[in-house]
């Protein structure tokens, strides 16, 4: 490995230390319902986001809260010497994508059938450090 390549690899490694992420795959909730909760915490500080999720009445908020706690634990395992309070962690990115769809048939009047689509989603949550623009 050359000197430039090694230096670039070190820079990438340091940049990756600043962020931590967690993924939730095949969650049996429709992406539309999950995005309503995801929009509440996007860009918020971690402490405030946890409070929002804890007191939200939506079912999806419990799943995202658990995902956020997982992302915090991932950040702690990367940065064992740092503390969460000093790092000022915030939700840098939260993305909800559509997952696999179970297709079922439901009987309809006059011998017809309606298709029922049971949707699922994938949630990706990325935490970042030192957000000075938030208040």
């Amino acid at each position: 490995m050359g000197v430039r390549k090694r230096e670039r690899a070190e820079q990438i490694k340091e940049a990756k230390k600043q962020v931590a992420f967690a993924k939730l795959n095949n969650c049996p909730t429709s992406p539309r319902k999950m995005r309503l909760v995801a929009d509440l915490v996007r860009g918020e500080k971690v402490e405030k986001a946890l409070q929002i999720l804890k007191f939200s009445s939506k079912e999806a908020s419990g799943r995202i809260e658990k995902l956020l706690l997982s992302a915090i634990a991932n950040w702690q395992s990367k940065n064992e010497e740092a503390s969460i309070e000093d790092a000022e962690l915030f939700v840098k990115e939260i993305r909800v994508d559509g997952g696999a769809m179970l297709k079922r048939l439901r009987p309809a009047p006059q011998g017809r059938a309606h298709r029922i689509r049971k949707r699922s989603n994938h949630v990706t949550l990325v935490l970042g450090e030192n957000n000075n623009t938030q208040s």
Side-chain angles (χ1 to χ4, degrees):
M1 187 184 288
V3 174
R4 275 185 294 166
K5 195 171 184 181
R6 188 179 307 113
E7 288 174 354
R8 182 68 182 141
E10 289 295 323
Q11 287 176 348
I12 291 170
K13 194 174 181 181
E14 283 299 315
K16 282 187 177 180
K17 240 184 172 183
Q18 302 296 317
V19 295
F21 73 97
K23 287 179 78 171
L24 173 64
N25 286 331
N26 297 318
C27 179
T29 310
S30 74
R32 187 176 181 177
K33 291 177 184 175
M34 190 66 87
R35 279 189 197 107
L36 289 173
V37 179
D39 292 341
L40 292 174
V41 297
R42 184 176 289 121
E44 296 290 343
K45 290 187 179 177
V46 169
E47 295 84 8
K48 187 174 179 185
L50 283 171
Q51 293 300 317
I52 290 170
L53 293 171
K54 185 172 185 165
F55 295 108
S56 175
S57 61
K58 301 241 179 233
E59 182 188 341
S61 64
R63 296 172 199 255
I64 291 184
E65 181 182 8
K66 196 170 176 183
L67 185 67
L68 180 57
L69 291 171
S70 175
I72 292 169
N74 292 343
W75 183 87
Q76 279 181 321
S77 67
K78 276 185 177 180
N79 304 291
E80 293 170 351
E81 68 281 347
S83 69
I84 297 173
E85 293 80 22
D86 297 339
E88 294 180 14
L89 291 178
F90 70 103
V91 180
K92 186 174 185 179
E93 178 184 344
I94 183 166
R95 193 171 56 246
V96 181
D97 302 319
M101 210 180 305
L102 292 173
K103 294 181 180 172
R104 299 288 181 260
L105 292 175
R106 171 156 294 164
Q110 298 180 348
R112 293 193 203 97
H114 290 161
R115 182 174 287 147
I116 304 295
R117 293 185 302 268
K118 297 189 175 191
R119 300 172 188 268
S120 67
N121 63 57
H122 307 311
V123 184
T124 307
L125 192 143
V126 180
L127 295 181
E129 278 186 40
N130 298 330
N131 185 15
N132 296 329
T133 59
Q134 287 291 103
S135 57

